[in-house]
Amino acid sequence: MAQAHETLLATPLADRHVALGAKLVEFAGWLMPLQYSGILEEHRAVRARAGLFDLSHMGELFVEGEEAGSGLAYALVSDPPSLAIGRAHYSMICTPDGGVVDDLIVYRLGLERFLIVANASNAAAVSDALAERLAGCRAVLDDRSLATALVAIQGPLAAAVLAPLTDVALDTLRYYAIAEGHVSGAAALVARTGYTGEDGFEVIVDVSEAVRVWDALLDAGTPRGVVPVGLGARDTLRLEAGMPLYGNELGRDTTPYEAGLGRVVKLSREGDFVGRAALERAQADGPRKRLVGLVVRGRGIARHGYPVFAGERSTGVVTSGTLSPTLGEPIAMAYVAP
């Protein structure tokens, strides 16, 4: 087992996960906790109280310089220069033919300073694409993915647990906003974002401060029923919330319009961006497939790759499926013919 893990990256919280009895698995080249007490229990804790997540495998890419905004406007399909300082939006980086390289969160930290958070499986691809697309711009790309840690607390009690530990005014921090401050004495970026469908916060710190922040949040949260949460419950939570997962609902063979996320593409803005012409055609022609949510009536779970039928006719394929702990019945997402 140890030999199999030698080639995997470990987050700065790996020892904490082992001490907490986590089941560890390989994910996107990282050794990550799949579950601690159990997926069902962890899922329900997030919905009822709050859960603590180690997301240090995600990519953190900083772009700074006098042309950072205009450079990102060319590289991405959204409009980063339209963001107010301290705000964020959901975005995508697409191929020239309109396929999705990755879905991202873009934060504006200053007048010409941005942070892009990418999925772990695509962090290197996003970094490479941004480096290529920002070439010639008066902007610097600083890939700090391996130098930063990301800890998230999600759920109805998230603000109550985090507030005493931070100098960021959480009561005035809006959804999809970010602020610089401290958490448990560590310099941090605190964002009101998440991937669970619940209120919550994502805390970005230097890797050297990850253990301090994790321990402080867990110590403060445990008396309130806050538990550590692994990738298993993270997936069931996002599926209940209808949030796409790259590699399942999103990929280079899918356009934002097919995923029901055409609102992310800002065709109304001036200027060119990578994939614009293809996405204009995709919008005009209509989608080749359509992402839908399903509830399964009867026994069984619709798993990734299962066919979907309309009567006797095959019409699509399941992209994600699980037994919803909240609803108590199987749910799924699938691409079907429009």
Side-chain angles (χ1 to χ4, degrees):
M1 190 69 170
Q3 290 182 343
H5 291 167
E6 286 178 0
T7 59
L8 298 178
L9 295 167
T11 81
L13 297 169
D15 288 344
R16 288 297 189 267
H17 303 320
V18 172
L20 288 165
K23 178 181 179 181
L24 300 174
V25 296
E26 186 278 334
F27 180 78
W30 291 79
L31 187 62
M32 295 294 294
L34 176 67
Q35 62 184 58
Y36 301 84
S37 56
I39 293 174
L40 188 61
E41 181 180 335
E42 294 166 27
H43 179 111
R44 288 175 172 165
V46 174
R47 291 281 182 251
R49 300 179 303 278
L52 189 62
F53 299 77
D54 177 13
L55 305 179
S56 302
H57 61 314
M58 302 286 280
E60 291 85 23
L61 308 160
F62 292 82
V63 179
E64 187 169 9
E66 59 183 287
E67 292 182 347
S70 59
L72 286 174
Y74 172 73
L76 309 179
V77 303
S78 59
D79 188 16
S82 69
L83 282 169
I85 295 174
R87 297 309 305 272
H89 65 207
Y90 181 66
S91 183
M92 294 183 182
I93 183 167
C94 286
T95 64
D97 62 1
V100 179
V101 175
D102 199 19
D103 60 332
L104 317 161
I105 303 292
V106 180
Y107 301 89
R108 190 168 199 170
L109 304 177
L111 187 61
E112 289 296 353
R113 183 171 176 244
F114 296 82
L115 165 64
I116 295 95
V117 174
N119 286 297
S121 59
N122 294 321
V126 172
S127 184
D128 290 346
L130 285 177
E132 179 182 338
R133 297 176 189 189
L134 292 171
C137 288
R138 291 190 292 273
V140 175
L141 170 65
D142 184 10
D143 185 344
R144 295 190 56 78
S145 301
L146 298 181
T148 53
L150 198 165
V151 175
I153 183 164
Q154 301 279 306
L157 297 182
V161 172
L162 178 59
L165 302 174
T166 183
D167 53 7
V168 173
L170 302 184
D171 55 344
T172 60
L173 191 69
R174 297 162 61 189
Y175 186 52
Y176 267 68
I178 191 169
E180 296 188 65
H182 297 81
V183 175
S184 189
L189 291 168
V190 179
R192 199 164 203 154
T193 47
Y195 193 52
T196 63
E198 297 291 340
D199 186 25
F201 302 87
E202 296 182 315
V203 179
I204 299 171
V205 296
D206 187 88
V207 290
S208 63
E209 303 287 8
V211 170
R212 184 206 303 199
V213 170
W214 174 273
D215 287 350
L217 286 167
L218 194 56
D219 290 346
T222 297
R224 294 172 174 263
V226 176
V227 302
V229 182
L231 295 177
R234 188 167 185 253
D235 190 53
T236 58
L237 288 160
R238 70 92 191 168
L239 182 51
E240 282 188 348
M243 295 177 168
L245 175 65
Y246 194 91
N248 290 39
E249 288 75 41
L250 299 174
R252 292 176 183 247
D253 59 346
T254 301
T255 72
Y257 294 102
E258 291 166 334
L261 296 168
R263 66 182 185 279
V264 176
V265 184
K266 301 304 180 185
L267 294 176
S268 60
R269 67 176 169 94
E270 296 182 357
D272 193 21
F273 58 85
V274 177
R276 177 167 192 143
L279 290 169
E280 287 175 336
R281 291 193 299 271
Q283 183 192 49
D285 295 344
R288 301 162 298 174
K289 57 185 179 181
R290 179 185 172 206
L291 187 63
V292 297
L294 303 174
V295 175
V296 179
R297 304 299 184 192
R299 290 176 171 268
I301 295 174
R303 301 293 187 185
H304 176 84
Y306 281 17
V308 180
F309 293 87
E312 298 296 316
R313 178 175 58 88
S314 177
T315 187
V317 63
V318 172
T319 54
S320 298
T322 192
L323 176 65
S324 165
T326 304
L327 300 176
E329 56 188 353
I331 59 171
M333 297 172 77
Y335 275 108
V336 298

